[in-house]
Amino acid sequence: MQLKNYQRIFIFILGVLVLTCLLSPWAAWTLDLMRSWRPQWQGLEQPFARIFNRTFMVLGILLFFPCFGFLRISSAKDLGLTNLRRGYGYIILGAGLAVISFVIIVILMVAADIFQPAWRVTLAVGLQRSFKAVMTGLTVGLIEEVFFRGIIFKGLLDEWRPMGAYIVANAWYSAIHFIKPAQKSYVQDFDPWLGFYHLGHTFEPFTDPVALLPGFFGLFLLGVVLSYAFVRTGSLYLSIGLHMGWVLAIKSIKIYGGYSSADLGWIFGSANPRFVSGVATWVGFLAITMIVYWLTREGQRGESKIEDRE
């Protein structure tokens, strides 16, 4: 039986997950051993959830390239990474749109007396944190867009109708942000099966689906916007830029002020993750979708003309 693209993706992810369960306890044990050799590292103890996640990411990256043939990926074009010269412009455009939309939400929060602007750090620290936020945004945007849009969404879109691909790929994208233990735990004694125990506990947050609903819906909308940008442009660059800009803004907001309340309310996000669970952000996502449609309409017409000639 011929495997479909999304089935190959599922098998790949399942394989990486099993290897992560097997190897993450050894990674935790190795880090613990290294701390015992270096007294100055005693305060650098990491929760097992972080070690598990990093192990999964590293294994996924290392195994991804050797599995190109199995995943039916022959070039960067198959991932939506085409025409890099044009891609730079899309990345800058997407990041700009995302940051501007976030600034508008912050202005509304200031007007509602929920956020108080203030320069909270020294200039050197502010620049350092800003640079770190930029690098985090670029890294997260690139990795997540290649994985969720370039591989999963595109794989489903090649086999399914667009509506099904949009729903399944972005429901998965949203849900995976909540797959983590409710409590942070640290490794006490070596247990080779700890990775499998941890995996079972990662679904604990789903025992309270009502609390997850606003954040889940917001992340789903975010995924739809990023998927739509990918479809409209035929490449990942605009999606990477949008993703990068939103991560950059969220990571750097505390440099420029602080919240007057821990609860931002239903308008700006009363549930985790903040902002994404707020109605104002949902409206912003819809506005970005319309802007993406408007900015790419000429390109879509050009593609239609080419198709007509063919």
Side-chain angles (χ1 to χ4, degrees):
M1 183 179 67
Q2 187 76 12
L3 290 174
K4 296 183 181 296
N5 288 349
Y6 67 89
Q7 293 172 327
R8 293 171 183 269
I9 294 168
F10 176 77
I11 292 172
F12 173 77
I13 295 173
L14 185 62
V16 174
L17 192 58
V18 171
L19 282 175
T20 302
C21 290
L22 292 171
L23 297 180
S24 55
W26 292 95
W29 177 80
T30 302
L31 291 175
D32 189 56
L33 184 63
M34 293 172 64
R35 285 198 305 272
S36 68
W37 293 342
R38 299 274 186 171
Q40 62 269 33
W41 291 355
Q42 292 302 313
L44 300 178
E45 187 177 13
Q46 298 292 322
F48 184 72
R50 183 171 297 174
I51 296 173
F52 186 94
N53 292 343
R54 294 294 183 270
T55 303
F56 179 81
M57 181 179 296
V58 170
L59 285 174
I61 294 173
L62 292 177
L63 294 174
F64 178 69
F65 296 100
C67 291
F68 266 19
F70 176 74
L71 295 172
R72 290 183 173 178
I73 298 172
S74 58
S75 65
K77 181 179 180 181
D78 292 331
L79 297 173
L81 298 173
T82 60
N83 196 351
L84 183 58
R85 184 177 300 178
R86 185 181 181 187
Y88 289 129
Y90 271 138
I91 291 175
I92 295 172
L93 173 62
L97 287 174
V99 171
I100 290 172
S101 66
F102 193 85
V103 169
I104 292 173
I105 291 177
V106 172
I107 291 173
L108 294 175
M109 290 174 62
V110 172
D113 199 27
I114 292 177
F115 185 81
Q116 298 176 345
W119 187 258
R120 300 161 58 88
V121 297
T122 64
L123 179 60
V125 172
L127 291 175
Q128 182 183 16
R129 291 184 180 178
S130 297
F131 177 75
K132 185 178 179 181
V134 170
M135 297 308 297
T136 300
L138 182 59
T139 303
V140 172
L142 177 61
I143 293 175
E144 291 198 2
E145 289 312 300
V146 168
F147 182 73
F148 287 105
R149 252 59 66 179
I151 298 177
I152 295 178
F153 176 68
K154 186 176 182 297
L156 293 175
L157 198 62
D158 290 341
E159 304 287 350
W160 293 4
R161 292 188 178 185
M163 183 63 71
Y166 271 101
I167 293 174
V168 173
N170 294 304
W172 188 1
Y173 168 73
S174 178
I176 206 167
H177 285 78
F178 298 100
I179 300 178
K180 52 188 174 181
Q183 301 293 331
K184 288 186 177 180
S185 59
Y186 295 85
V187 178
Q188 302 297 328
D189 299 302
F190 177 75
D191 182 349
W193 306 111
L194 183 59
F196 291 98
Y197 299 146
H198 170 81
L199 182 62
H201 287 291
T202 57
F203 295 93
E204 288 178 6
F206 290 93
T207 58
D208 188 6
V210 175
L212 295 184
L213 189 58
F216 182 92
F217 181 71
L219 286 167
F220 177 81
L221 280 183
L222 170 60
V224 169
V225 174
L226 296 173
S227 298
Y228 183 70
F230 172 52
V231 170
R232 293 289 293 183
T233 60
S235 71
L236 284 177
Y237 299 117
L238 183 57
S239 303
I240 291 171
L242 287 168
H243 203 145
M244 172 188 172
W246 281 317
V247 172
L248 163 64
I250 291 173
K251 291 291 183 181
S252 60
I253 185 173
K254 290 186 178 180
I255 300 174
Y256 307 102
Y259 304 106
S260 57
S261 173
D263 185 356
L264 304 185
W266 62 270
I267 296 179
F268 301 106
S270 58
N272 287 323
R274 282 182 172 180
F275 300 110
V276 178
S277 60
V279 173
T281 302
W282 301 350
V283 174
F285 287 156
L286 295 176
I288 291 293
T289 303
M290 297 303 298
I291 293 173
V292 169
Y293 170 81
W294 182 77
L295 290 174
T296 58
R297 68 192 189 284
E298 292 298 330
Q300 292 292 315
R301 289 173 185 169
E303 290 177 5
S304 297
K305 291 177 181 179
I306 293 173
E307 290 175 358
D308 290 341
R309 290 175 185 175
E310 294 176 347

